Amino acid sequence: MESYPTPSGSDQGDRSPLVAGVRPEILASWQRSQSLGIDRERADLPIESDLDPDSRLIRAAAPVLTRLYERFSGVPVTVTLADSRAHIVDRWGEPAGLKLMDAASLVPGANVDERFMGTSSVSMVLSTRAPFVVVGQEHFLHDLKQLTCMAAPVRDPVGGTVRGAVNLSVPRELADPGMALVLQDATERIAERLLELGTARELELTHSFRRAMERGGHAELDLDSGELSRRGGRPPRLASQERLILLERAVELISSPGEAFAEVPLAGSRVAVLRRRELHHGDAEGAAVEVTFEDTGGTATARPAAATASGRRAPLPDRPAEAAEPHAAGATDAWLLLVGEPGVGRLAAEARGRLALLNEAGVRLGTALDLRRTAEQLAEISVPRFADLVVVDLVESVLAGEEPPPGPLRSGVPLRRVAAWAGEDSRDLPIGGVNEPGGYPAGTPQARCLETGQPVTDSVVTAALAGHPNGRVHPVGFLGTGEHSYLGAPLSARGSVLGLAGFYRRGRTRPYEQDDLTLAGELAARAAISMDNARRYGREQHASLTLQRSLLPHALPRLSTVGLASRYLPADTRSGVGGDWFDAIPLSGMRVALVVGDVPGNGLQAAATMGRLRTAVRTLAGLDLLPEEVLAHLDDLVSRTPDEEGDEQDPATGTTCLYAVYDPVSCRCTAATAGHPPPALLTPDGEAQLFDLPTGPPLGLGGIQPYESATVDLPADSLLAMYTDGLLKESRGYEDTEARTAQLLAALKLAGPELEDTCDRVTDTLLSSGPYDDVALLLARAHALPEDRVASWEFPSDPAAVARARALTRAQLAAWGMSELDFNTGLVVSELVTNAVRYGGPGPVGLRLLRDDSLICEVSDGSNTSPRIRRAATTEEGGRGLFLVAQFTKSWGARYMPQGKTVWAEQIPQPEQPAPETDEQTLLALFDDLG
């Protein structure tokens, strides 16, 4: 908006008109106003008292202008709606503003035409037929000179006539150019509502037509599909091209009052006879077009469905044969084809068709978060109403989920065709190039569309495409030889071009026009947003799955003491991401820790939280802590927040966890639970039951309540089942827990030797309709370590026990056929027993050897002192024992019992490798005491 200066020396009270720097339109209006003798201090406005409060203009504008006024809440604006004769028909504003309007006679019914009010924004709009802004001194009336008034016309979208004007008045110092843009958006929305209300008038005409005919036996026409449904049978359909031809001819009849009949030849020997009938309903005057069908070859008349443009279900009255025109004697029924108002013509039908097409696109596009399916939906929506053939090409990198480059694309960019559609008749026909790479050379309309990022239209000659590159058949060849119309629209979203949608029409009888460019651009833009959403969703889904797969065990460990099998079933099968997890962690002494947990929620946040807790569990398990101690440390970890003063809660709060440790030597299982369902146990004799565990609170909610564990004896080959509560859920909540648990136990009783089959049996039994919540299932078959693979002794706390322990170890290794480990094992036993005698207190010292794929040496004492490696000085005689143990074993460590500790070391037999030559005297000199 631009302010226009007043002549030098003029002020607000100056009665002389503006001259210098004034727009010609304003100056001419001032001159006309002066010639009419209008009083600039107080205009005498005529008031029309007989206005229709329920006119189409008011009904269309009221909700739009109410929202417009609310948008400027807090700003002293007034909004006025005037009809095409410049009468104020409605207004919005604050009470103070409306009071000032009353004082100026600007009340509903007042005529604000230039003849009575002089120069104003509404009068300028109605004279110029375009948006107009009048600023301050440009107003003719002195009362308006402190205001900036901007107005925009309300056009009938069918005929383009101006139906009224909307005025927005605001104090001059508060005016902003953006207000004019908002106002124009509002008037465009009013125009759309006028079209919707116009369609409602056509429905009234349809009902009037139905009542006037009074025939009964009505059928219904589905105006979306063009199919006719009728009691007693389903009639045949017209071809899509025939429906379009009939619709176009019906539009011509409605818009041409002088014509009453038309004949349209159809496929075969049929002829469609169209008849125009006058309709009246209240203030709505229009016409209806009926269609009857003849068979010139004398065969029975078909009753195909006709298509209309309004996109609704409409009643169709049957018409008896005697009511037909004489030249249509072969017809038996007349079907309603189209209802409309005179003067509407082709523009109305096309406008309705475009709105119906955009409405369908808004409903159908993006219903599946899949790039290819969205492209197919765009093609299916456009054929046959907008095109005879549609092809969609996407950039290769977009299909791979990568971020597309910003801006238009260069010619020759790698593309891949993802959809090609020419209607139901082409479903099983090869249109050409689908799922194949391709591209368009520079200079082609497709390349221009991609380079400019704007829709383009052109013609395509089939003969010129005979030598299409890559040996592929060009899709336009499906339309036949000759010249065809082409329209290309870029699939643009968020500043990037994802690909190209190509629309083809057979022949040149219906070339694409400017309105078609706009419609195609809107269709492509809507599809592109859905495609980009699908691309982003696919990328996030891939990232989520990659994260979760990296956090869950890639494969369960292969252990001789425990057979393992597992299942993970996410509730969201599309994303495949949840917060449940399971794990099996080998521990010292051939023991194994079995873990199952359930993080609240699902998605990426739950997966990340699950990974954090799983890492913490594995770290704590490596310390050989008791199950209740592991859960206590986890609870403490979740209870701590980064900001003690903040209210943010750890997303792991409420996580449930079950931690169990199985010892194959003692055949005992010790378990503790943090709000998690207890495990199920199937013994070799076929008895299935639940563990009786003391239940602790979920993680993060423990407070001062301690976690407790329970120990049970597991007979050899017992089956242990650990699971999350999703296994016991069905439908939309918990079923009877006891009943679901009974189902679980019954499924376990049918378990065979193969754990994988048992997993399938359990999930099929309890999750026959799929999981409602994430499910993790871990099965473990416990095996006992044979007695001949275990050797244990107990010695008094005496230095003489070191030599005896070394001798017993040597004899046991010889019995096991592992003499190649005699030297290293003797060194380890000597060091560990010596340390136990020296630092382990007065109690006895225990020595145990476990043989499996490795050899494990364990020494126990009554002290809780932690052993550690230290580097001895060159002048020290001791301090090198644990250093040597670490050098000559695969791994070593210590675990603590309620009383005392056990230090262990593991060696891997390697008989194929020769023993290293070692200077025994040098090594022995490093020991503190050999006993």
Side-chain angles (χ1 to χ4, degrees):
M1 291 177 291
E2 184 179 356
S3 176
Y4 295 91
T6 60
S8 176
S10 66
D11 58 19
Q12 193 174 25
D14 191 0
R15 295 175 179 268
S16 61
L18 302 175
V19 178
V22 178
R23 289 173 288 176
E25 300 93 332
I26 294 290
L27 185 59
S29 177
W30 268 64
Q31 292 172 347
R32 291 192 298 269
S33 301
Q34 280 188 320
S35 65
L36 292 171
I38 299 173
D39 185 355
R40 288 190 290 167
E41 294 297 335
R42 183 173 180 83
D44 184 16
L45 304 180
I47 297 178
E48 175 70 44
S49 58
D50 191 21
L51 293 176
D52 182 7
D54 194 36
S55 67
R56 288 176 62 189
L57 178 62
I58 294 178
R59 282 187 289 147
V64 178
L65 297 184
T66 299
R67 289 194 297 270
L68 175 66
Y69 173 71
E70 293 172 350
R71 180 169 182 173
F72 293 109
S73 177
V75 180
V77 302
T78 56
V79 178
T80 305
L81 173 65
D83 62 15
S84 59
R85 297 182 298 160
H87 288 103
I88 296 177
V89 295
D90 211 342
R91 60 183 187 170
W92 293 261
E94 297 177 348
L98 295 178
K99 187 175 181 180
L100 293 176
M101 294 183 70
D102 292 340
S105 298
L106 299 175
V107 297
N111 194 313
V112 293
D113 188 75
E114 184 182 82
R115 296 173 298 164
F116 312 108
M117 188 176 178
T119 307
S120 68
S121 57
V122 172
S123 64
M124 295 302 299
V125 163
L126 294 179
S127 62
T128 62
R129 327 298 277 182
F132 211 96
V133 179
V134 179
V135 183
Q137 295 289 338
E138 294 179 337
H139 287 97
F140 189 79
L141 297 181
H142 283 282
D143 292 342
L144 303 179
K145 292 185 180 295
Q146 295 299 322
L147 301 175
T148 291
C149 297
M150 51 197 78
V154 176
R155 295 185 180 275
D156 191 323
V158 174
T161 58
V162 175
R163 302 296 301 272
V166 179
N167 177 77
L168 178 68
S169 299
V170 62
R172 183 173 178 179
E173 63 273 12
L174 299 179
D176 183 88
M179 293 180 174
L181 299 177
V182 174
L183 177 62
Q184 291 188 37
D185 290 341
T187 56
E188 291 173 3
R189 175 58 186 145
I190 296 173
E192 294 174 1
R193 287 180 53 80
L194 280 173
L195 182 60
E196 296 169 0
L197 294 176
T199 306
R201 286 162 59 92
E202 293 172 4
L203 284 179
E204 293 176 352
L205 291 173
T206 304
H207 297 321
S208 176
F209 178 84
R210 178 184 179 183
R211 290 190 297 270
M213 301 304 294
E214 295 180 352
R215 289 191 180 90
H218 296 295
E220 272 195 344
L221 179 68
D222 187 337
L223 304 186
D224 292 325
S225 65
E227 294 187 13
L228 182 67
S229 60
R230 183 180 184 182
R231 301 183 186 92
R234 180 177 181 180
R237 296 186 307 166
L238 283 173
S240 59
Q241 194 67 22
E242 292 175 332
R243 289 200 301 267
L244 292 175
I245 294 174
L246 289 180
L247 179 62
E248 291 179 355
R249 196 68 185 92
V251 169
E252 294 175 0
L253 278 179
I254 290 178
S255 58
S256 305
E259 296 185 44
F261 297 95
E263 292 187 353
V264 178
L266 302 177
S269 59
R270 293 181 303 160
V271 175
V273 180
L274 280 65
R275 178 187 179 187
R276 184 179 189 272
R277 297 178 58 85
E278 301 294 333
L279 296 178
H280 301 278
H281 182 83
D283 64 341
E285 297 182 358
V289 175
E290 296 175 304
V291 58
T292 58
F293 298 95
E294 296 180 353
D295 193 316
T296 57
T299 59
T301 303
R303 294 175 186 163
T308 80
S310 54
R312 297 180 179 85
R313 296 185 65 86
L316 296 181
D318 293 343
R319 184 175 180 183
E322 57 270 13
E325 293 301 315
H327 68 280
T332 58
D333 288 317
W335 310 100
L336 177 62
L337 180 63
L338 188 68
V339 174
E341 297 182 70
V344 169
R346 184 182 303 274
L347 182 61
E350 291 179 351
R352 288 194 302 271
R354 284 194 294 269
L355 286 177
L357 188 61
L358 287 176
N359 179 67
E360 183 179 353
V363 172
R364 293 179 58 184
L365 285 176
T367 54
L369 286 172
D370 180 84
L371 277 168
R372 295 178 182 273
R373 181 55 193 150
T374 302
E376 293 171 355
Q377 288 173 336
L378 172 62
E380 293 168 359
I381 291 169
S382 304
V383 176
R385 285 182 288 176
F386 187 67
D388 297 316
L389 168 68
V390 177
V391 295
V392 181
D393 302 308
L394 294 181
V395 179
E396 289 275 16
S397 60
V398 172
L399 284 171
E402 300 176 8
E403 195 73 28
L409 299 175
R410 68 184 188 281
S411 60
V413 64
L415 300 172
R416 182 174 292 272
R417 182 153 300 152
V418 294
W421 182 251
E424 291 292 339
D425 297 338
S426 67
R427 180 176 295 277
D428 299 324
L429 299 178
I431 296 178
V434 178
N435 294 324
E436 295 182 6
Y440 296 101
T444 60
Q446 293 89 343
R448 294 203 315 269
C449 178
L450 293 174
E451 291 170 357
T452 61
Q454 298 294 328
V456 299
T457 184
D458 208 328
S459 61
V460 178
V461 181
T462 307
L465 302 170
H468 193 260
N470 302 329
R472 292 188 288 110
V473 177
H474 196 282
V476 76
F478 180 80
L479 301 179
T481 59
E483 187 177 5
H484 309 286
S485 298
Y486 171 78
L487 192 159
L491 297 168
S492 302
R494 301 179 176 93
S496 300
V497 177
L498 311 182
L500 171 74
F503 303 89
Y504 297 84
R505 282 180 180 170
R506 183 179 282 106
R508 294 290 292 168
T509 57
R510 296 183 299 129
Y512 286 107
E513 300 173 353
Q514 185 63 38
D515 289 344
D516 296 319
L517 287 173
T518 304
L519 176 59
E522 180 66 22
L523 285 173
R526 296 189 181 194
I529 290 295
S530 298
M531 291 178 184
D532 196 49
N533 290 339
R535 179 191 64 82
R536 289 168 176 257
Y537 170 78
R539 183 181 62 185
E540 296 301 324
Q541 181 190 26
H542 178 72
S544 301
L545 289 175
T546 301
L547 171 64
Q548 189 183 47
R549 288 166 183 164
S550 66
L551 297 177
L552 284 172
H554 295 283
L556 292 172
R558 299 174 63 90
L559 303 173
S560 61
T561 56
V562 175
L564 299 171
S566 63
R567 289 292 183 272
Y568 175 74
L569 303 174
D572 186 352
T573 55
R574 291 189 305 172
S575 67
V577 179
D580 292 11
W581 90 93
F582 58 87
D583 210 345
I585 309 168
L587 302 178
S588 64
M590 303 183 68
R591 299 170 304 136
V592 60
L594 305 173
V595 191
V596 172
D598 185 356
V599 175
N602 50 40
L604 195 57
Q605 175 69 51
T609 303
M610 175 268 289
R612 180 164 62 92
L613 291 179
R614 178 171 177 255
T615 301
V617 169
R618 294 186 71 89
T619 302
L620 294 170
L623 299 177
D624 267 323
L625 300 177
L626 297 175
E628 62 269 25
E629 293 177 349
V630 171
L631 295 183
H633 283 290
L634 283 177
D635 178 71
D636 183 58
L637 174 66
V638 174
S639 299
R640 293 196 303 263
T641 58
D643 183 6
E644 296 295 340
E645 298 180 358
D647 296 331
E648 182 180 357
Q649 191 179 57
D650 192 309
T653 301
T655 297
T656 64
C657 183
L658 173 63
Y659 187 92
V661 175
Y662 171 66
D663 187 345
V665 178
S666 63
C667 292
R668 289 186 173 183
C669 180
T670 302
T673 175
H676 202 85
L681 173 63
L682 175 68
T683 58
D685 59 5
E687 181 182 355
Q689 60 184 358
L690 296 180
F691 262 48
D692 186 11
L693 289 179
T695 302
L699 301 181
L701 306 175
I704 62 175
Q705 182 176 352
Y707 292 98
E708 301 179 58
S709 63
T711 302
V712 296
D713 294 325
L714 296 185
D717 295 329
S718 296
L719 180 61
L720 189 68
M722 302 170 62
Y723 50 90
T724 56
D725 62 356
L727 191 66
L728 304 180
K729 291 182 181 179
E730 190 176 21
S731 301
R732 294 193 169 272
Y734 285 100
E735 297 291 325
D736 184 354
T737 304
E738 293 184 0
R740 299 286 289 174
T741 303
Q743 288 182 315
L744 170 62
L745 297 178
L748 290 178
K749 289 181 180 180
L750 301 176
E754 294 295 332
L755 292 182
E756 294 294 335
D757 294 341
T758 303
C759 281
D760 293 336
R761 182 183 299 276
V762 170
T763 54
D764 291 344
T765 301
L766 279 85
L767 305 173
S768 57
S769 59
Y772 171 68
D773 193 8
D774 300 331
V775 175
L777 173 65
L778 178 63
L779 298 183
R781 190 178 298 280
H783 303 304
L785 189 66
E787 294 182 359
D788 59 355
R789 295 194 175 197
V790 181
S792 59
W793 303 274
E794 191 173 277
F795 308 101
S797 182
D798 187 340
V802 176
R804 177 165 175 72
R806 194 164 54 243
L808 291 173
T809 299
R810 184 180 297 112
Q812 186 63 54
L813 292 178
W816 282 343
M818 305 177 72
S819 297
E820 74 278 3
L821 297 179
D822 182 61
F823 176 79
N824 291 352
T825 307
L827 184 149
V828 170
V829 169
S830 297
E831 172 57 31
L832 297 183
V833 173
T834 298
N835 286 344
V837 170
R838 179 173 296 179
Y839 308 111
V845 176
L847 171 62
R848 186 170 73 168
L849 299 179
L850 305 177
R851 176 195 171 191
D852 193 40
D853 296 334
S854 62
L855 177 66
I856 300 174
C857 175
E858 297 181 340
V859 176
S860 304
D861 58 52
S863 172
N864 288 325
T865 304
S866 175
R868 63 186 181 87
I869 295 178
R870 70 183 184 89
R871 185 167 296 280
T874 55
T875 58
E876 291 184 278
E877 296 182 0
R880 298 173 176 83
L882 290 179
F883 177 77
L884 289 175
V885 171
Q887 291 295 315
F888 284 89
T889 59
K890 175 179 178 288
S891 59
W892 75 279
R895 65 176 181 268
Y896 297 90
M897 301 173 290
Q899 294 181 352
K901 67 175 181 299
T902 296
V903 181
W904 57 269
E906 182 180 10
Q907 301 176 75
I908 303 296
Q910 296 179 338
E912 69 280 1
Q913 296 183 0
E917 297 182 1
T918 308
D919 186 348
E920 297 183 9
Q921 297 300 323
T922 302
L923 292 176
L924 293 176
L926 297 175
F927 278 82
D928 295 333
D929 187 356
L930 297 179

